[in-house]
Amino acid sequence: MSEPKENRDSVFPSITRRSLLKAGSALVTLPFVMSGKSFAMQANAPETAQASGAAERVVQTCSTFDCGGKCDIRAHVADGVITRITTRPDSELDPQMPIMRACVRGRSYRKFVYHPDRLKYPMKRVGKRGEGKFERISWEEATTLIANNLQRITAQYGPACRFVHNNTATSGGTFSGDKMMRRLLNLTGGYLEYYHSVSMGNTAAATPYTYGAVASGNSLDTLAETKLVILWGHNPTETIFGHSNHYFQQMKQNGTRFIVVDPRYSDTVASLADEWIPLLPSTDNALMDAMMYVIVSENLHDKAFIERYTLGFDEASMPEGVPANESLVAYLMGDKDGQVKTPEWAEKITNVPAQTIRQLARDYANTKPAALIQGWGPQRHNCGERTARGSTLLATLTGNVGIKGGWAAGYGGCGNRKFAAGPEMPDNPVKESISIMNWVQAADDASKVTADAGLKGAETLNSNIRILFSLAGNYLANQNPDLHQAVKVLEDESKIEFIVASDLYMTPSARYADLLLPETSFMERWNIGETWGTASYLILSEKLIEPEFERRSDYDWQREVAAKLGIESQFSQGRTEQQWIEHIWEQTRLSMPDEHLPTFSELRVQRKHLFKSKPYVAFEDNIRDPQNHPFPTPSGKIEIFSQRLYDMHNPEIPALSHYVPAHEGPEDALAKQFPLQLITWKGKNRANSTQYANPWLQEVQVQKLWINPLDAQQRGIRQGDTVRIHNARGICQVPAEVTVRIMPGVVAMQAGAWWQPDAEGVDHGGCANVLSSARITPLAKGNSHQTMLVEVAKYASAV
């Protein structure tokens, strides 16, 4: 719907000549490589800086988005403007802890910060929720609205009606608006908390049922001598996952063999793989089962390791009181169900040839050591918990747990990572919590959120969600599974009474705000960057430029709200944002005396601290000395069979992780109507949906639907045709990319595109969340948005 001119002008007011020059000075040459050709964007920032005679300083910094690299960004600052971005020169490489060079995302941050579409002023909604109609107001009015609504709504419904949503755009730093919002709410009665990580919560919940602990990955420097790496649904080349690529490329050059198991021929396959094994999504466990059958039937398993460290391999090693034929061997040989888990059995399910399965199993079992590293994509299916545990069983059978060069699989996070202290958080008086997957139900009808659905700490919720804060998050009305279901609740103003959104841009989620606030970018505030994966360093993210227009950091306006609630001194403790960062750094120094962290003044010169920990192998002590270091499971052993899961009596989370056909998987009856499985991937040009608005990065990778030529031919689809992807939940319309890089029966789109519905509700942005399901996983009560059946048709526009 078009907006009246007065509203458009209030949202995007005229730009002064000075601000236009500043914005223009942020544009400089940025090379891109697309389809084998080199492109560049040229502007005059260096000339502008030189012409003005401004002294340039170069500052090493990092972003604090939900981006794993925390790569080395060198911001060139002159006259209060970022003129260009470079990165770490090769001469500064530290082989003991390689900080990443900036990727295409890092090199394009200036265009994201200096963009005319950034929000400029606080605004309140004047139309219906979702219309995107706002009018400019003052910060005094904005903070008064927040304070008054907090007091009114809390008095009426109690503190459990208050909710702070998932806010990943700032989760890469130790200090953020959503953390401080939670601090403010705890000081005024508390709020409804959520648990579960949308990124990796299913595997984090499942892995402890094998090992008793979540972190099951090694530091990557322990893989230097590994002869074989199987990357199972893992795509670090595009996701920029820690500094994996640095080590993997070194290993590749030194002769390590890489096999990638993935339905899509990703950039990781192109850059690393000696072999690509595509399989149908959600059938991972069938492939794993058949591999285990080959390993056991061909006597390739590590008998000594299994006998000493495990429980549940065969009938002789089962816990007392469990009926016969519940062991791994009994399952593989079909002793209970009559189905032997041969490669031929798995081929019919996975579409992986039986001989390929045999060779993969033999290669993994016979190569010593070998590392099976599972990504987080496979565990985002509704069978993801089983897939996560299945990989741990393979690692256990082959004796690759707790040894240098091996990998315990499962969650894969490294247990020796170190983090900054973070701001102190007062206790939350509200004890109940929900899965992040329950928030729509909690806003719609709190009685729907039961213990079976994921409620913790109470039998029932006392109130629906009535006030919601979305600070640097686009999950609300973009990344949320079954987007139409979520939006229906958001549009109903009798449900959530007051929504506050703070962001850099008018995102799809921001359009549903009652109060919309212009946030600062990471270049306009203070923070400490923290890494993902197996990286181990902290880096200062310093305020480099002053925010323009009326942009303010969340902490800045939260202090005003706290003052109007009478708790400012308790909330801020008299600290500015920079003083909080100094305080957090000092607390971090005190908590890590052996690391000899620099003082904050020294950090401002050094910019970063590398921990340079010794090589770390998960469960090494448990394997070296099981008597004194038993696994933290009930049995003290690696539990191939989990009594805890067995006692749940849930067929979807079997005690022995194995294949169970997935809802909306290839064996679902729904596949007759919607025969294609749609998956998404995290692309190189944005972190989730962050930076979608960056035009440079939109050129890096255009939003399309990947479809195999066989599937395209059956539907009369040619390269570049506009297609409609649809199921019972929604319709999405994008161009087709007809390519053999996706296997038959599967289609794929990059995740994180912004939802752009037309008047009929058809999405034109390529947002897969209009098609994804809100079904929760059985164990973690987590997300399964990767499991979705669709049909694709060529779009014929009306004449």
Side-chain angles (χ1 to χ4, degrees), residues 88-99 246 250:
R88 171 190 59 78
D90 289 339
S91 60
E92 292 186 22
L93 174 65
D94 187 330
Q96 290 183 284
M97 180 52 63
I99 293 182
H246 169 84
Q250 279 190 340

Side-chain angles (χ1 to χ4, degrees), residues 299-310:
N299 208 27
L300 302 177
H301 53 295
D302 191 328
K303 301 179 189 64
F305 183 94
I306 292 168
E307 183 176 353
R308 185 177 188 190
Y309 298 110
T310 74

